[in-house]
Amino acid sequence: MGSGGSVGDTGATATTRPRPGAFARAWAKAVSGTSYLPMTQAQLEALLQRLTERLALALRADPFDLRIGQQVGAELVQAHIASAEGLGRTIEVIQLRLVRDLDLAVDDVEDRMARLLATVATGYARALRDRTLDEQEAIRRAAMMARAQAERALRESEARFRHQATHDPLTDLPNRTLFTERLTTAITAPGRGADRIGVCFLDLDRFKVVNDSLGHQVGDSLLVSVARRLRRALGEHLVARLGGDEFVILVERTGCTEDVVKVAEAALAAVSEPALVEGHELTVSASIGIVERQVAGTSPMELMRAADSTLHWAKAAGGARWSIFDADRNRRELARYALSAAIPAALDRGEFYLDYQPLTGLRDGRVVGMEALVRWRHPELGVLRPDSFIPLAEETGLIVRLGSWVLAEACREAGTWAAGAADAPFVSVNLAVRQLHRPGLVQEVQGVLGRTGLPPERLQLEITESTMMSTVAEPVRALRVLADLGVRVAIDDFGTGYCNLAYLRDLPVSELKVAGEFVAGLRAPADDPGSRTDERILASLVSLAHALGLTVTAEGVETADQADRLRAIGCDAGQGWHFGRPGPAVPHLRRSPALTDSVS
């Protein structure tokens, strides 16, 4: 045995040297490309060199150790040589080259080789199975984690949808939805009927100027600053942002209106604090509408509508203040709104008509003109005077349509007055500011004169002196065109505005109608100092107007003494109750000495 062993070893040394490196390279070449291997060729050969040495150890071990082959198979899988093709080539190269390249002289080598290959395959299969199970477990855990993350994200999203459904994203204040919910609960919750409740509706004054001049980013930053100050000053009350620059404060369980007034004053003080916004030091003010009442008998909608109306009162009064809801005032304003809304239908139904007041020459008592005054025969309220609906029509823009009707109707009726007479009176029609600024005014007047056949010189248009002082040139150009056609232009209520006689020199004006305030002073005795002053003022106005080629009509003449004094200072005509109250045209014409025969 010893001799044989010696011969065998000597022979192996003499004829060939073991080549583990060559075997490892052959193994590496065989498995390359069978799987994705996250290593370089050199790293692969080094790994397989180490496994080659372990395989050689397994073949030589006595007794035969099955664990080595299994470990080699497992390490192949760990090294990502984990395909069926990779295993097949591994077994093939081990079977064909391992004994030869390593010159292994081992008894029963074939049996050992078969068992070795079996253990390598077994270790390989187990490792592959374990890796698959691990991967499946990892996938399962990843799926569970992904599902948990998705559920968490969903909950967070739902929660955010709820920072968004009830809170303002810019200021983080409660929004309209949450405020309405709280207000509804405060009013409708059981046992709250005897409680009192208050609302402060706040709006920043002239906030649009900030946006327009400094940009919306600065405006947004200012809103955030205002919201922060309101929350700090009124922390015990619900402060919400309704949108834009509107905020609202809910004051629950008030004792009286004064409780809400104190909250409003605190809010105004907080808003008025100077704020440094985006490098700009800004100071703003606010207006607040206050409503405070018992919970029983009210509703969230009524409360907010009342607060909104009251806010507009504060705005109209100049801003930077609070106003308290007044039920009587609110009823009056609702009635005014209903009246303005009824104007278009009233025009369609023919509910408007004209009265006339004569303009009488002070020298001969002749009716030189008639001012058209519109009336409304309301089906429920009776006859309405102009002061009850003309301001509404001007606010809503309906004055344009109404004024067009007055112009057309006045010209139509004037065409029937002493037709053909050389001294027939003119008709005087008031033009509203909106009418005067319409681009088609000239064409409208020409069309009316053409349809009615009224000569242009028998139409007088009355405008206010503030309108004539406008910097817009187009209205003045339109009046010049009409004056060139022969239409008379008069300044109404002269002396109540800021027009001056020097400016009138350059305007297409033919007559001044002096405001009744000046004439009223002439009712006092002539020796009264105040009356003498008014008379001197009127005399100066008349003298200057005549120097400019204008005629002068005094409004508000109520007594014969006023008429006599006006005649004495050279005033051309008078208008007022002394000469006739507004009414149908024909009776006035019959009182005129020069027109009696023409209208009889």
Side-chain angles (χ1 to χ4, degrees):
M1 288 289 295
S3 174
S6 175
V7 171
D9 290 342
T10 302
T13 302
T15 60
T16 182
R17 297 179 61 86
R19 297 183 296 165
F23 177 79
R25 286 193 295 274
W27 191 1
K29 183 178 179 181
V31 298
S32 293
T34 61
S35 304
Y36 168 73
L37 303 177
M39 63 184 74
T40 65
Q41 188 68 18
Q43 291 173 329
L44 176 61
E45 291 180 5
L47 168 66
L48 297 181
Q49 174 69 36
R50 181 169 56 81
L51 297 182
T52 299
E53 293 173 353
R54 299 191 67 187
L55 289 172
L57 179 63
L59 284 175
R60 291 194 184 103
D62 193 10
F64 183 72
D65 191 349
L66 298 176
R67 293 175 299 174
I68 295 178
Q70 292 174 355
Q71 293 168 356
V72 168
E75 290 198 40
L76 288 173
V77 173
Q78 292 171 3
H80 297 279
I81 304 172
S83 66
E85 186 179 3
L87 175 61
R89 292 189 179 182
T90 293
I91 291 176
E92 182 181 5
V93 76
I94 293 174
Q95 187 175 23
L96 296 177
R97 299 194 56 166
L98 180 63
V99 174
R100 185 191 66 189
D101 286 0
L102 271 63
D103 193 22
L104 295 174
V106 180
D107 294 337
D108 61 0
V109 67
E110 291 183 0
D111 178 59
R112 287 187 171 231
M113 179 61 72
R115 295 172 66 189
L116 177 63
L117 292 176
T119 57
V120 169
T122 299
Y124 188 95
R126 288 176 178 172
L128 191 60
R129 181 199 60 193
D130 292 343
R131 193 181 78 162
T132 300
L133 292 175
D134 290 343
E135 289 175 348
Q136 290 175 343
E137 178 64 15
I139 292 173
R140 188 185 67 83
R141 290 182 178 179
M144 291 178 60
M145 184 177 296
R147 184 168 59 206
Q149 290 174 344
E151 290 174 351
R152 183 168 60 251
L154 178 61
R155 289 194 298 271
E156 292 173 352
S157 175
E158 289 174 344
R160 285 194 301 271
F161 176 77
R162 286 191 296 270
H163 168 59
Q164 293 175 359
T166 61
H167 283 73
D168 173 51
L170 177 65
T171 63
D172 199 34
L173 288 178
N175 63 8
R176 183 186 297 271
T177 300
L178 180 54
F179 178 82
T180 303
E181 291 176 358
R182 285 282 300 274
L183 178 61
T184 301
T185 300
I187 291 176
T188 62
R192 301 292 291 271
D195 290 349
R196 300 187 67 83
I197 193 169
V199 168
C200 295
F201 200 155
L202 181 150
D203 183 85
L204 299 184
D205 297 328
R206 294 172 292 280
F207 178 71
K208 185 175 183 296
V209 176
V210 176
N211 277 340
D212 291 346
S213 59
L214 301 178
H216 288 272
Q217 182 175 345
V218 173
D220 287 349
S221 297
L222 178 60
L223 291 174
V224 172
S225 175
V226 168
R228 185 167 54 247
R229 283 180 276 163
L230 287 174
R231 184 157 44 194
R232 184 178 65 242
L234 308 169
E236 62 181 302
H237 305 293
L238 177 66
V239 181
R241 181 187 177 213
L242 300 186
D245 59 336
E246 292 182 339
F247 299 83
V248 65
I249 306 159
L250 178 61
V251 187
E252 299 189 56
R253 292 187 169 89
T254 60
C256 59
T257 301
E258 185 61 29
D259 292 343
V260 190
V261 169
K262 291 178 181 178
V263 173
E265 290 179 340
L268 290 179
V271 170
S272 65
E273 296 175 8
L276 186 62
V277 179
E278 303 284 337
H280 303 275
E281 185 171 348
L282 302 177
T283 301
V284 293
S285 62
S287 301
I288 297 179
I290 297 174
V291 180
E292 194 273 340
R293 60 178 59 163
Q294 191 172 8
V295 166
T298 192
S299 69
M301 184 179 296
E302 290 175 358
L303 204 61
M304 291 304 295
R305 185 166 53 235
D308 189 25
S309 297
T310 313
L311 170 63
H312 286 100
W313 300 346
K315 287 279 189 183
R321 68 191 66 210
W322 49 262
S323 291
I324 298 177
F325 179 74
D326 182 329
D328 291 335
R329 179 177 178 180
N330 186 59
R331 278 192 292 270
R332 291 194 299 270
E333 294 206 347
L334 289 176
R336 291 180 76 248
Y337 173 78
L339 202 61
S340 67
I343 291 176
L347 279 168
D348 294 337
R349 291 192 295 262
E351 294 175 4
F352 291 95
Y353 69 96
L354 297 180
D355 272 343
Y356 296 90
Q357 188 170 33
L359 283 68
T360 305
L362 292 176
R363 289 186 178 85
D364 55 11
R366 182 174 66 88
V367 175
V368 296
M370 303 266 265
E371 181 176 355
L373 302 170
V374 65
R375 303 287 190 259
W376 184 355
R377 192 177 287 106
H378 195 282
E380 298 174 0
L381 303 177
V383 175
L384 302 179
R385 295 173 55 83
D387 55 3
S388 65
F389 60 87
I390 290 294
L392 298 178
E394 290 177 336
E395 290 173 13
T396 59
L398 293 170
I399 192 65
V400 173
R401 185 181 172 194
L402 179 59
S404 295
W405 178 87
V406 171
L407 175 65
E409 182 66 9
C411 289
R412 185 191 66 78
E413 292 191 6
T416 66
W417 301 340
D423 53 358
F426 60 81
V427 65
S428 193
V429 178
N430 289 279
L431 276 188
V433 174
R434 288 178 184 263
Q435 288 179 278
L436 189 59
H437 283 257
R438 284 187 70 193
L441 176 63
V442 173
Q443 291 78 5
E444 180 182 5
V445 173
Q446 287 178 316
V448 169
L449 293 176
R451 290 191 301 274
T452 61
L454 187 70
E457 60 272 12
R458 289 190 55 205
L459 172 62
Q460 176 169 281
L461 301 176
E462 294 189 18
I463 56 178
T464 61
E465 55 183 297
S466 59
T467 302
M468 296 304 294
M469 291 294 290
S470 170
T471 57
V472 181
E474 185 56 35
V476 177
R477 280 197 295 267
L479 291 176
R480 284 203 175 97
V481 173
L482 292 173
D484 290 341
L485 292 175
V487 176
R488 302 165 57 91
V489 179
I491 300 293
D492 190 23
D493 283 333
F494 185 81
T496 59
Y498 47 83
C499 193
N500 60 74
L501 290 169
Y503 183 68
L504 293 176
R505 179 178 55 195
D506 301 321
L507 296 176
V509 176
S510 55
E511 178 170 330
L512 291 185
K513 299 186 70 176
V514 178
E517 286 89 332
F518 292 98
V519 180
L522 301 187
R523 284 185 294 188
D527 58 355
D528 180 81
S531 180
R532 288 200 304 271
T533 300
D534 286 342
E535 185 173 336
R536 285 194 294 269
I537 292 173
L538 283 169
S540 299
L541 282 175
V542 170
S543 177
L544 288 170
H546 286 167
L548 293 171
L550 307 177
T551 60
V552 180
T553 296
E555 298 180 307
V557 182
E558 298 181 356
T559 67
D561 186 54
Q562 285 176 309
D564 290 340
R565 294 175 69 177
L566 288 167
R567 185 183 303 110
I569 63 177
C571 188
D572 300 290
Q575 179 180 355
W577 286 5
H578 174 65
F579 300 106
R581 299 197 177 197
V586 172
H588 295 308
L589 295 173
R590 285 175 176 166
R591 284 194 292 270
S592 176
L595 297 174
T596 300
D597 295 337
S598 301
V599 298
S600 60

